[in-house]
Amino acid sequence: MLPLIAQVALDVPVPRLFDYVAPTLTSADVGRRVCVPFGRKEFIGVVLSLSRESAHPRDQLKTITAVLDDTPLLSAEILKLLRFCSDYYHYPLGATVLAALPTALRRAQTATLKTIDSWQLTTSGQTGGADLPQRAHAQRALFTLLQDGAAHTASELATASAGYRSTIKHWRELGWVTQLSQPAPLNAIPVNADIAPTLNAEQLQATNQISAALGKYQPFLLHGVTGSGKTEVYLHLVQAVLAQGGQVLILVPEINLTPQLTGVFRARFPAVEIATLNSGMADGERLHHWLAAVDGRARIVLGTRLAVFAPMPALALIIIDEEHDSSFYQQDGLRYAARDVAIMRAHQRSCPIVLGSATPALETWHNAQSGRYQRLSLTQRAIAAATLPQVRMIDQRTQKLTDGISPALATAIQRRLDTGQQSLIFINRRGYAPTLVCRACGWAAGCPRCSTRLVVHLRERQLRCHHCGYAERVPHACPDCGNLDISPSGLGTQRVEEGLQKQFPTARVLRIDRDSTRRKDSWPEMQQSIRRGEVDILVGTQLLAKGHDFPNLTLVGVVGADSALYSPDFRASERMFAQLMQVSGRAGRAQHPGEVLIQTEFVDHPLYLALQQHDYIGYARTLLNERRSAGFPPFIHQAVLRAEAPQLVEAIAFLNLAKAHAPVTSAVTVFDPTPATMARKANVERALLLVQSTNRRTLQQFLGMWMEDIYTLRASKLRWHLDVDPLEI
Ligand code: ADP
Ligand code: ZN
Ligand code: ZN
């Protein structure tokens, strides 16, 4: 019989698969990696199906050159999920499939679990060892260790006898020991086990409801105020799943949160292997953890958005912590929202999924209101003595600011210093100041490559672009008029840090932003030192807002937040409200009550009033009403076609051409192309075309037809991509 023909997924920007003759393959090989010739190169691909026929004449087909790995790495289940993603996001299937593999597997190397050798005494070793002469101390020590019959690793043997190597070699020749090779443990450093606290009534109720849904698809929104103990609910759920032999997938927003949360889970389940997956890991390390998820050895898989594609044979529960976080959106290549993909995965797998947040995304909240998701609430802080902080406004118009800090805020900081408590000043802008301006002629330092201002980084004496990485020295005079009186304008973390250090010379001030935490371990180290009480005042960006628990922190000051109130982005208020609620949630999480002071010029703004009342529900209602009447998501479904070219006119011309090819239907609105909010970025000019519909299915059908045409359009010197359910327009 003729060999089968494999349909192979390749990472190429063409929306189709490629046929190859597959002499040794059978239908059991779907999901396996293969090497194939493509053009003049070898590519790594994944077999998606096998058939007898091809649309191309058989003698024109090339043959698979190698089959990698012992078994398929991508299960039928994951391939189904990837097909869904490719369809829904209108991204080529081949590129989608390859994007789900860890980088190491996109190269032609065999996927093998890292192993570790160990040695075990045989029966003849047990008898032989008993006769070792008394004076052979080192050998006897080794024998004593091995006598328990368990396999021992090199490092264990070394503790008994430094020269264990030669002894073991000799004993193997005698047949006294056998050598075993086991998968290397994922978590090498031991932890101290902790003890589960008794759940409070609301936590118990949530845990019971979710556990009762194990084995079927059911999405839950766990809406719990900051400090209400959502993590404890997750831990109890994981306990329940582990008891049934299942695997749990936990998605977290930040690479920085993975070590912290991994620590929490390891302490609760010291005997369980936990795989961590995030883009900050070395390729080999990530591969090792990924394979442990694939072979089921890792019962818990904890990672950032990319972990949503990790194959898990016994997956029984998905948890998304801080589900509202924008880092669940992948912004290049396959542009997906990990939260939405996870919902689909739970649906296909028939397992429950828990979305946890104090400030759910409005889309999620809307789904909970309409009953598509079941809502579970934690309304109280978990630690009996802890209450939600008191939130007050400081009217900035009546106070003179010193480096952004009002006298009222300074007094509150001083009180914390006097009582040995910690303060956090939140300002969501890194650098010293957002711009450098000339007071004489109005010049402002702009990025030569982007349509944006350069940020002053005084410590490094640089002006930097936060969008493209461009940097130059701070000039001494205005390049336009020669005036020497040019000065930083506005506030950034460095400036606030410097100002606080001046006002409180003996206080220990620590700045936490992307600049100060760039080095790999610096943020975990900083967290430790905050916990040890080595810091009095923290100054930081939204990095600080996410999920941290610093028991001695009792004051949060918010500086320079007003600007977000007038952003053209319709999601700006939602994002700002969530951010401020989260950052407020850092205050008073243990025995001391917390206080939040917000400096603003708009003390009566509804956003601030809602914050003062800790009223997520009321503010969500307000925002959803606004969205409904303005026709914004979640009441409308959007997609954006984006084009990038050396000149804006080219990008616009392409989008006009694309618009001309749009299928005609009254159910989808196709807007005119417009320049992007930031029209120029890194010397590339950008434009976009928005399409929307009140019906998701209709929009999907439209996009399906439209994309087929768009792939055939000539687009020289131009890049384009489609963004479905875009986070920003
Ligand atoms: P969230 O993630 O909801 O903001 P955490 O899970 O960080 O809250 O919990 C806040 C604090 O409450 C933690 O210190 C946690 O150990 C503690 N905690 C949670 N549940 C309980 C409980 N049932 N009894 C006592 N303390 C609890
Ligand atoms: Zn000037
Ligand atoms: Zn730039």
Side-chain angles (χ1 to χ4, degrees), residues 64-87:
I64 284 174
T65 41
V67 182
L68 302 168
D69 316 322
D70 299 333
T71 51
L73 292 178
L74 295 177
S75 59
E77 187 179 316
I78 284 296
L79 290 177
K80 188 173 168 201
L81 183 68
L82 293 168
R83 274 184 200 278
F84 163 80
C85 288
S86 166
D87 287 346

Side-chain angles (χ1 to χ4, degrees), residues 197-200 203 225-232 382-383 549 589:
T198 314
L199 295 181
N200 64 36
Q203 286 174 318
V225 298
T226 52
S228 60
K230 292 184 285 295
T231 315
E232 204 48 60
I383 295 180
D549 203 15
R589 291 169 70 91

Side-chain angles (χ1 to χ4, degrees), residues 438 440-443 478 480-483:
C438 168
C441 75
W443 169 87
C478 170
D480 276 10
C481 74
N483 171 28

Side-chain angles (χ1 to χ4, degrees), residues 311-324:
M312 295 169 64
L315 179 65
L317 174 69
I318 303 177
I319 294 170
I320 305 191
D321 192 25
E322 312 289 354
E323 67 86 32
H324 61 278

